Amino acid sequence: PNRLRILSILAEQEMCVGDLATAVGMNESAVSHQLRTLRTIRLVSSRKQGRHVFYRLQDAHVFSFYQAVVEHLDESD
């Protein structure tokens, strides 16, 4: 559930760890751990800007996959 919430936010815009932590109500360490997993399975990518690392969905294929998951979950309700 936490990874899906993170992907939901990143589907809208890229964000740094601190902002993501605030948005999902988790501490930065927990968000970083989830992002590391998402990077390992190539669902998100990152870029550095100064001292901050910004995360975003890997590419349009991941966004399409995310949309399909959301649609499936909506149909299950």
Side-chain angles (χ1 to χ4, degrees):
N2 291 328
R3 290 183 199 139
L4 188 55
R5 289 189 322 192
I6 290 169
L7 289 174
S8 295
I9 292 167
L10 295 178
E12 299 294 323
Q13 64 184 15
E14 72 174 14
M15 276 194 173
C16 65
V17 174
D19 292 340
L20 272 169
T22 300
V24 297
M26 298 169 59
N27 65 49
E28 289 185 22
S29 176
V31 170
S32 291
H33 176 74
Q34 298 298 332
L35 287 167
R36 190 170 338 154
T37 300
L38 292 169
R39 281 183 63 195
T40 300
I41 59 176
R42 299 185 331 202
L43 292 181
V44 300
S45 60
S46 63
R47 70 174 178 86
K48 285 190 91 166
Q49 183 175 336
R51 293 181 7 202
H52 296 283
V53 179
F54 289 87
Y55 292 87
R56 63 187 172 276
L57 295 185
Q58 179 74 22
D59 56 30
H61 294 102
V62 174
F63 183 72
S64 296
F65 173 73
Y66 165 76
Q67 285 181 315
V69 169
V70 169
E71 288 173 13
H72 175 73
L73 291 174
D74 286 344
E75 290 173 0
S76 298
D77 288 341

